[in-house]
Amino acid sequence: MITINENYLKLQTSYLFSDIAKKVEKYTKESPDTKIIRLGIGDVVYPLPEVCIESFIAGVKELGEQSSFKGYGPSNGYDFLRSKIAKFDFQDRGVEVFEDEIFVSDGSKCDTGNFQELFAQDIKVAIPDPVYPVYVDTNVMAGRTKGYENNSFKGLVYLDATKDNNFIPNLPQEKVDLIYLCFPNNPTGTAITKEELTRWVDFAKENKALILYDAAYESFVTDSNMVKSIYEVEGARKVAVEFRSFSKSAGFTGVRCAYTIVPKECIAYDKEGGEHKIFDMWNRRHSTKFNGVSYPVQKAAEAVYSDEGRKQVQNLIDGYMKNAKLIFRELTALGYDCTGGVNSPYIWVDAQKDSWDFFDTLLKKTGIVCTPGEGFGKCGKQYVRFSAFNTYSQVEEAMKRIKNNKKEL
Amino acid sequence: MITINENYLKLQTSYLFSDIAKKVEKYTKESPDTKIIRLGIGDVVYPLPEVCIESFIAGVKELGEQSSFKGYGPSNGYDFLRSKIAKFDFQDRGVEVFEDEIFVSDGSKCDTGNFQELFAQDIKVAIPDPVYPVYVDTNVMAGRTKGYENNSFKGLVYLDATKDNNFIPNLPQEKVDLIYLCFPNNPTGTAITKEELTRWVDFAKENKALILYDAAYESFVTDSNMVKSIYEVEGARKVAVEFRSFSKSAGFTGVRCAYTIVPKECIAYDKEGGEHKIFDMWNRRHSTKFNGVSYPVQKAAEAVYSDEGRKQVQNLIDGYMKNAKLIFRELTALGYDCTGGVNSPYIWVDAQKDSWDFFDTLLKKTGIVCTPGEGFGKCGKQYVRFSAFNTYSQVEEAMKRIKNNKKEL
C-alpha cells in the first residue's frame, strides 16, 4: 500500500496567496465596476530591461541555428553568468565570493525550499516570525514540526520580529542548528546593519549552526549602513548560505532566474562530529534533482551586468522605491505606524485591528489588495504588508482611495 | 550543531555523466587530433523547430512591453499550454487526461526526482535495473535504502531487465508500494505493449501500489502495438502518474520544459488506510517549492502543437530514428547483440565484456563516446548504450570507425 508522507497533513489548508486570490476573484465578481489596485503579492509590473530583452532574444536565436545550438547546460549555470555575478555583485564590492560557489537556479523559492533537504530531520530550526511562508512549510513537509496551535508549529523556534525589537529578532535563547534570516525582510521591510548581523554570525559560529540568508531584496538597500550580503560580515563564509534573485531587481518573476552561494568553507557535521562540505552536498542535490536554467534565460540575466543593464535595473528599482516612499509617507500621515519602505519595497503597517479584517475592509471599501500579516505568522496578526510593486499612478490612486475612506478602515 | 542528512553519505561518489565527461576531457587532452563523436549522453543536437523559435521570441517581446508584461505565472503552467497538451497528446488519441491534471515543470528529471517526497519513508520501492540513475539516487537521499553492495542498494526491490525477459522486467515477487517504470526505456530502448503494461497496472491495483511512469521518450514510439501513455491501459488513472518532456521530442534539453500528469482519481493512503488524492499533495508541493516555468519557454512549447510545429517535431524525431536504425543495423552486422532502436533513440548493446572496459577501449581506439551500462545498474554490467542523438553524418562516421577497429574492441 502506497502510504503518504503524513507530514503533509500537518500543513495548513492553503497557501496564503491562493487564499487572497480567491477573495479578490470573489470581490471582482461582486464589484465589477471598481478597478482593483494590487499592492498585495510582491510581483513586479514594469517590463524587463531592454538589454535583457535583446540578450534573451539573441540567446533564443542561437538555439535556432545548428552552429550555435546548445542542449543540456551545466546544472550549476553557465560560466558567462556566474563570473559576472561573482565580479559585480560581490568582488567589486569587496566581498569574497567565487564564481564556482554560485549555483544558478530557477528561483529563490525553490532553493530556500529545497535547501533543508541536506540536513538531518531532528535538527532544531529557527525561523523568523513574520516570515515568507515557504521556510516554514518546507520544514513541515520534512517532518521537523509537531502540532499547530496559535498560528505556530510546535518544534520550530520562532524568532519574533515586533515593534519592541524594531523588527530585528533577538538571538534565540536556546541552541538551534539552522537559522533562516531574510534582510531586507519580507514582509516587514526591515534592513540590518553589519553590527547587528555580526551577532548572528557569531551566534552561528558558537553553536556550530548554519544561517540560510535570504537576500532576494538586497538591491533595494539604499542606506550604506545596511548590509547587502551576509558575506560582508567576517567569518560568515563558514556559517552562511546566501540566496539571491533576479526576480525583484530586474523584473524576472515570470522569467525565473536566481542564484545561491555556498562557500567552500561552509561546514555541516555528521553525528560523530565529522565535517562535511555543504558545497559538495548541495552540488550533489542540484545535479541530481535539477537540470540547469534555460540557456536564453541565463543570457537575459547576464545582460543585467552590462553598463547599460545596471542603469536600466537601477531605474526599475528607483521607480519602485519612489512608490515605497509615497506609501510610507501617506500612510504615516494618516496616522498609521509604518516600518520598511526605505531599504525595501515593502511597508509593514500596524493595522490596529485583525489583519484579515483590515484586508477585507480595505478590499471592500477601496478595491485595494494588501497582504494580511497573519499569513506571515502570529506576529503579523495586527499588521498588513503593502507592496510597492505597481505603477506610480496606481499607487497614487490607491493612497487617494485610502485617504478618502480612512474613517471606515 | 547543524547535522547532515546522513543518507547523502550512502550515495555513490559521483554522477554517471560527470564521470564520463571527465574521461572524455582527459582523452581530448591526450589525443587532440581525434574528433570525438558523442553517442553517450542523451542530448539532442539539432536546432529547435522554427515555430518554437518564433513563438519563444514573441513571448520574450511580450515581456518587454508594459501592456503585455507578465510576472509570476500559475505554478502549474499556463492554460494555453496545458489545454493543448491535453487535447493533442491525449484526448485526440482517445486517452482520458484533463487539462487541470497537467503540471508543467522545468524538467522530467526534477519531477521524477521530487515526486517520491509525497510518500512515507518506509514504503517499499521497486526500480528497474538498468535504469536512469535519478530514481535510485533520490530514494537514497530520502533514506529508503541501506548499504550498497554489488552495484545495488539494499532496501530497494530491483526489477531486472535482461535478455531472458526481453528487457521487460517481471512483476515483483514481493509486495511493493511504489514502482518506477520507463517505456520506451532508458537505457535499453525497449517499448511495452498494452497487454504487458496491463499486468503492471493490475498488479498496482491489487497491491494498492502507485506506478511512476516515465514516458519521456514516448514520441519515438513508431510501432502501433506499443503504448505511448500508461493511460491507454484501463484503470491506470487510479494507480499511475506519468512524466513527459519536450526535451527529446522538440529539442528542449537546454530550454527546460516538461510536464507531469496526476489524475484526480489517483490515491495514496495514510497509515489508517484513509484515502488521499495524490493530485492535492503534488499540487501543494509544486506550489510551495516551485514557481512555474518561464513564460517565453511555455510559449515556445505551445508552438509544438501547431500544424507546422507537429511537422517540424516529427522531422526531428525521424532524423534521430534514421540514426538509430543505422546504429542498430551496423552493430548487429558486426555481430553485436542489440536491442532498442526501433521505438527509441537508444540502442542497448551487449558489449561481451565489462562495460567500462568497452567504454574505455572504444574511446581510446575510435574517439567515440558511448555510455557504460554499469552506470545504469548491475544488469548493465556487460552492456553499453548508444544514443542516436547526433547528426547522421557523425553517426555514419562513428559506424565506420567501429567497423575499422572491430578487432580491437
Side-chain angles (χ1 to χ4, degrees):
Chain A
M1 186 171 83
I2 178 72
T3 48
I4 62 170
N5 172 353
E6 298 208 359
N7 297 309
Y8 271 62
L9 303 177
K10 300 174 193 163
L11 287 164
Q12 295 311 293
T13 45
S14 184
Y15 189 62
L16 172 63
F17 294 108
S18 321
D19 290 346
I20 294 172
K22 278 174 207 154
K23 282 180 180 257
V24 173
E25 197 185 335
K26 185 167 173 278
Y27 173 80
T28 313
K29 274 184 196 153
E30 289 166 5
S31 312
D33 297 334
T34 311
K35 225 192 138 214
I36 296 268
I37 300 179
R38 290 170 199 277
L39 303 177
I41 192 169
D43 195 3
V44 296
V45 300
Y46 288 124
L48 287 198
E50 274 173 46
V51 288
C52 295
I53 294 288
E54 285 159 19
S55 184
F56 205 153
I57 290 175
V60 174
K61 285 182 177 167
E62 283 184 59
L63 301 186
E65 302 294 333
Q66 182 70 72
S67 58
S68 51
F69 180 76
K70 276 160 198 71
Y72 291 122
S75 64
N76 297 355
Y78 279 96
D79 288 345
F80 65 74
L81 177 57
R82 304 202 299 164
S83 59
K84 294 201 176 60
I85 292 170
K87 174 176 162 51
F88 289 103
D89 287 346
F90 299 98
Q91 293 162 4
D92 281 3
R93 302 187 62 255
V95 180
E96 193 182 350
V97 164
F98 302 102
E99 178 179 337
D100 62 354
E101 298 173 331
I102 295 165
F103 293 78
V104 177
S105 82
D106 64 327
S108 280
K109 181 180 182 182
C110 319
D111 287 352
T112 56
N114 289 325
F115 214 89
Q116 46 75 31
E117 282 184 37
L118 304 190
F119 307 111
Q121 203 188 25
D122 61 358
I123 55 168
K124 198 66 148 178
V125 181
I127 297 188
D129 182 335
V131 79
Y132 180 50
V134 168
Y135 316 153
V136 173
D137 286 355
T138 54
N139 275 290
V140 174
M141 290 169 168
R144 296 202 183 90
T145 61
K146 296 188 178 75
Y148 184 77
E149 211 173 83
N150 183 29
N151 210 359
S152 302
F153 282 98
K154 287 181 197 164
L156 295 180
V157 173
Y158 285 94
L159 305 168
D160 292 355
T162 63
K163 210 173 291 186
D164 294 339
N165 56 28
N166 290 316
F167 302 99
I168 304 280
N170 301 320
L171 292 175
Q173 295 303 300
E174 56 193 301
K175 252 188 173 265
V176 297
D177 310 307
L178 185 66
I179 302 161
Y180 289 79
L181 292 178
C182 174
F183 293 105
N185 188 259
N186 176 12
T188 70
T190 321
I192 193 163
T193 63
K194 192 168 168 179
E195 194 186 345
E196 284 165 326
L197 193 53
T198 301
R199 288 166 45 230
W200 286 93
V201 169
D202 290 346
F203 177 90
K205 282 194 276 188
E206 277 157 31
N207 291 279
K208 293 189 171 179
L210 179 74
I211 297 171
L212 298 182
Y213 191 77
D214 187 347
Y217 296 92
E218 60 76 30
S219 54
F220 296 90
V221 170
T222 48
D223 184 339
S224 62
N225 287 327
M226 300 299 170
V227 159
K228 284 166 94 69
S229 167
I230 193 166
Y231 304 120
E232 294 174 34
V233 175
E234 208 184 305
R237 286 177 54 85
K238 284 192 181 165
V239 294
V241 165
E242 182 165 301
F243 303 93
R244 294 239 183 152
S245 174
F246 295 98
S247 283
K248 313 296 164 109
S249 55
F252 273 45
T253 53
V255 175
R256 316 301 313 136
C257 198
Y259 60 93
T260 292
I261 295 136
V262 190
K264 296 272 177 74
E265 294 97 307
C266 219
I267 293 295
Y269 305 86
D270 58 38
K271 276 172 198 145
E272 283 72 45
E275 297 191 349
H276 299 266
K277 283 188 179 176
I278 296 175
F279 176 89
D280 291 338
M281 294 183 71
W282 184 244
N283 195 37
R284 192 58 154 87
R285 198 269 169 208
H286 211 61
S287 61
T288 303
K289 297 192 183 180
F290 183 66
N291 224 339
V293 169
S294 188
Y295 171 74
V297 167
Q298 293 189 61
K299 289 301 286 181
E302 183 194 16
V304 164
Y305 297 101
S306 64
D307 289 350
E308 193 51 43
R310 282 182 292 161
K311 271 184 228 160
Q312 291 177 8
V313 166
Q314 193 55 52
N315 280 345
L316 283 177
I317 293 167
D318 291 347
Y320 293 129
M321 289 313 291
K322 194 176 156 196
N323 297 345
K325 276 193 189 115
L326 180 64
I327 298 170
F328 188 95
R329 192 179 66 219
E330 292 294 319
L331 295 185
T332 303
L334 290 173
Y336 289 105
D337 198 356
C338 298
T339 187
V342 178
N343 297 294
S344 156
Y346 296 131
I347 297 94
W348 188 240
V349 182
D350 185 345
Q352 297 157 355
K353 61 162 79 167
D354 175 84
S355 68
W356 278 107
D357 282 352
F358 185 92
F359 171 90
D360 288 332
T361 313
L362 185 72
L363 182 61
K364 197 175 157 193
K365 297 291 174 194
T366 69
I368 297 167
V369 183
C370 65
T371 307
E374 195 177 345
F376 298 107
K378 64 179 188 318
C379 295
K381 203 170 165 46
Q382 199 185 292
Y383 286 82
V384 291
R385 187 190 75 176
F386 279 81
S387 151
F389 291 117
N390 210 322
T391 61
Y392 191 71
S393 62
Q394 286 279 284
V395 171
E396 271 189 316
E397 166 67 17
M399 293 305 113
K400 259 185 226 159
R401 288 190 196 171
I402 292 177
K403 200 183 280 180
N404 295 339
N405 291 277
K406 173 68 177 82
K407 276 182 203 158
E408 299 177 90
L409 296 177
Chain B
M1 186 172 80
I2 179 72
T3 49
I4 61 168
N5 172 353
E6 299 209 359
N7 297 308
Y8 271 62
L9 303 178
K10 302 173 192 162
L11 287 164
Q12 295 312 293
T13 45
S14 183
Y15 189 62
L16 171 62
F17 294 108
S18 322
D19 290 345
I20 294 173
K22 276 172 209 155
K23 281 179 180 257
V24 173
E25 199 185 336
K26 186 168 173 280
Y27 173 80
T28 313
K29 273 183 197 153
E30 289 166 4
S31 313
D33 297 333
T34 311
K35 225 192 138 211
I36 295 268
I37 300 179
R38 290 170 198 275
L39 304 177
I41 193 169
D43 195 3
V44 296
V45 300
Y46 288 124
L48 286 198
E50 275 174 44
V51 289
C52 295
I53 294 288
E54 286 160 18
S55 185
F56 204 152
I57 290 175
V60 173
K61 285 183 176 165
E62 283 183 58
L63 301 186
E65 301 294 332
Q66 182 70 71
S67 58
S68 51
F69 180 75
K70 275 159 198 72
Y72 290 121
S75 64
N76 298 354
Y78 278 97
D79 287 345
F80 66 74
L81 177 57
R82 304 203 299 163
S83 59
K84 292 202 177 61
I85 292 170
K87 175 176 161 52
F88 290 103
D89 286 346
F90 300 98
Q91 292 162 5
D92 281 4
R93 304 186 61 255
V95 180
E96 195 181 349
V97 164
F98 303 102
E99 179 179 336
D100 61 354
E101 297 172 333
I102 295 166
F103 294 78
V104 177
S105 83
D106 64 327
S108 280
K109 182 180 182 182
C110 320
D111 287 351
T112 56
N114 289 325
F115 214 88
Q116 46 74 32
E117 281 185 38
L118 304 190
F119 307 111
Q121 204 188 25
D122 61 358
I123 54 167
K124 197 66 147 176
V125 181
I127 297 188
D129 182 335
V131 78
Y132 179 50
V134 168
Y135 315 153
V136 172
D137 286 354
T138 54
N139 276 289
V140 174
M141 289 168 168
R144 296 202 182 91
T145 61
K146 297 188 176 73
Y148 184 77
E149 211 171 84
N150 182 28
N151 209 359
S152 301
F153 282 98
K154 287 179 197 167
L156 295 179
V157 173
Y158 285 93
L159 305 168
D160 292 354
T162 62
K163 212 173 287 186
D164 294 340
N165 56 28
N166 290 315
F167 302 99
I168 304 281
N170 301 321
L171 293 174
Q173 295 302 301
E174 56 191 301
K175 254 187 172 263
V176 297
D177 309 308
L178 185 65
I179 302 161
Y180 289 80
L181 291 178
C182 174
F183 292 106
N185 187 260
N186 177 11
T188 70
T190 322
I192 193 164
T193 63
K194 192 168 171 178
E195 195 186 345
E196 283 165 327
L197 192 54
T198 302
R199 288 165 47 228
W200 286 93
V201 169
D202 290 346
F203 177 90
K205 282 194 274 189
E206 278 157 30
N207 290 281
K208 293 189 170 178
L210 179 75
I211 297 170
L212 297 182
Y213 191 78
D214 186 348
Y217 296 93
E218 61 76 31
S219 55
F220 295 91
V221 170
T222 47
D223 183 340
S224 61
N225 287 326
M226 299 300 170
V227 158
K228 281 165 96 67
S229 168
I230 195 169
Y231 304 119
E232 294 174 35
V233 175
E234 209 184 304
R237 286 176 55 83
K238 285 191 180 164
V239 294
V241 166
E242 183 166 300
F243 303 93
R244 293 236 183 156
S245 173
F246 295 98
S247 283
K248 313 296 165 109
S249 56
F252 272 47
T253 53
V255 175
R256 314 303 312 138
C257 197
Y259 60 93
T260 291
I261 295 137
V262 190
K264 296 274 177 75
E265 294 98 306
C266 219
I267 293 295
Y269 304 87
D270 57 38
K271 277 174 199 142
E272 283 72 45
E275 297 190 348
H276 299 267
K277 282 189 180 176
I278 296 175
F279 175 90
D280 291 338
M281 294 182 71
W282 184 244
N283 196 36
R284 191 57 152 87
R285 197 269 168 208
H286 210 62
S287 60
T288 303
K289 296 192 184 181
F290 183 67
N291 224 339
V293 169
S294 188
Y295 171 73
V297 167
Q298 293 190 60
K299 291 300 285 182
E302 184 194 15
V304 165
Y305 297 102
S306 62
D307 288 349
E308 193 52 41
R310 284 183 292 161
K311 271 183 227 161
Q312 291 176 8
V313 166
Q314 193 57 51
N315 280 345
L316 284 177
I317 293 167
D318 291 348
Y320 293 128
M321 288 313 290
K322 196 176 155 197
N323 298 346
K325 275 193 190 114
L326 180 64
I327 298 170
F328 188 96
R329 193 179 65 220
E330 293 293 317
L331 294 185
T332 302
L334 290 172
Y336 289 107
D337 198 357
C338 299
T339 187
V342 178
N343 298 294
S344 156
Y346 295 131
I347 297 93
W348 188 239
V349 182
D350 184 346
Q352 296 157 355
K353 61 163 78 167
D354 176 83
S355 69
W356 278 107
D357 282 352
F358 185 92
F359 171 90
D360 288 332
T361 312
L362 185 72
L363 181 61
K364 197 175 156 193
K365 297 293 174 191
T366 70
I368 297 168
V369 183
C370 65
T371 308
E374 196 177 345
F376 298 108
K378 66 180 185 316
C379 295
K381 202 168 168 47
Q382 200 186 290
Y383 286 82
V384 292
R385 186 188 78 176
F386 279 81
S387 151
F389 291 117
N390 210 321
T391 61
Y392 191 71
S393 61
Q394 286 280 283
V395 171
E396 270 188 318
E397 166 67 17
M399 293 305 112
K400 258 185 227 159
R401 290 191 196 171
I402 293 178
K403 201 184 277 180
N404 294 339
N405 291 277
K406 173 68 176 85
K407 275 181 205 159
E408 298 177 272
L409 297 177

